[in-house]
Amino acid sequence: AGLLSVLLSALAGLAIGVVALPGLLDAGGSRWYLLLLLLLPLGAAALHPRVLGPLIRLAFRLVRREPPERDLSGRAIAATAVSFVVAWACLGAQAWVLVVDLGGDPRDAVVPAVFGYALAAAVGMLAVFLPAGVVLREVVLVLLLEPVLGRTAATAVVLLSRFVVTVGDVVAAGV
C-alpha cells in the first residue's frame, strides 16, 4: 500500500505539475524533463483497475505475501488520486503565500509556486537514487521560482517551505 500511495502521489503531482514544465525548461531545466510527459499516460493506464489489480497481485507474489482478496475499484483509485491533487495544490499554495510575501507578483507566482511545487515534489519522488528526492526537488523549485523572485529569495522560499512542511509532518506524526 505504501509504494502504491507514493506512485499515486507522484502521478498526481506530475498531472498538475505539467503546467509548470515549460517554465522549468525556460529556466534552464534539462530537456530530459520532457520524459516526464511519457509517464502521465503510462501512469494513467496503469491505474485502470484491470491493469492495477494484476500488478498489485504480482507485487505481492514477488514479496511472497498473500494478495488482497479484492482489487481496488476505479472509484477508490480516482478518489485517492483526486485527494493527492488537492493535497499538492494546498502544499503549492503555501509556497505561493511565501513567494507573494517576499514580493513576488501574485499572478505571476501561481504557476511556478502552486504547480511547480507539485512538479518538483513529483520529480523528487521519482528520483529513486536520491532519498526522498532531496536536493533535486529543491533545485527544480528554485529554478521555477527564480524568474518571479530572483535566486536568493527563491532559495529562501524553498528552504522555508521545506521547513514548514517538515514541521507539519512531525506534528501530524505525533497526533
Side-chain angles (χ1 to χ4, degrees):
L3 179 59
L4 178 59
S5 182
V6 168
L7 292 174
L8 268 168
S9 178
L11 186 60
L14 283 178
I16 67 168
V18 75
V19 173
L21 192 57
L24 178 60
L25 297 173
D26 287 346
S30 169
R31 299 283 181 234
W32 286 100
Y33 287 115
L34 290 173
L35 292 175
L36 296 171
L37 294 174
L38 295 176
L39 292 177
L40 285 174
L42 293 173
L47 290 179
H48 191 282
R50 289 185 182 168
V51 176
L52 186 60
L55 288 175
I56 290 173
R57 287 191 296 280
L58 174 64
F60 272 83
R61 273 197 304 275
L62 290 174
V63 296
R64 296 186 174 123
R65 301 274 183 204
E66 190 67 31
E69 292 180 19
R70 292 180 27 191
D71 289 342
L72 292 171
S73 69
R75 179 174 283 168
I77 295 166
T80 303
V82 168
S83 297
F84 279 123
V85 167
V86 170
W88 285 127
C90 290
L91 287 166
Q94 62 82 27
W96 177 84
V97 168
L98 295 172
V99 169
V100 171
D101 191 57
L102 288 179
D105 180 82
R107 274 190 274 164
D108 292 343
V110 170
V111 170
V114 178
F115 298 98
Y117 187 96
L119 178 64
V123 166
M125 281 190 277
L126 295 172
V128 294
F129 53 90
L130 295 170
V134 70
V135 178
L136 179 59
R137 171 187 55 227
E138 286 75 17
V139 167
V140 168
L141 193 52
V142 167
L143 283 172
L144 286 162
L145 295 175
E146 188 176 0
V148 178
L149 283 176
R151 181 168 288 158
T152 302
T155 302
V157 165
V158 170
L159 293 175
L160 184 55
S161 175
R162 169 66 21 224
F163 176 74
V164 167
V165 170
T166 301
V167 168
D169 287 346
V170 169
V171 168
V175 171

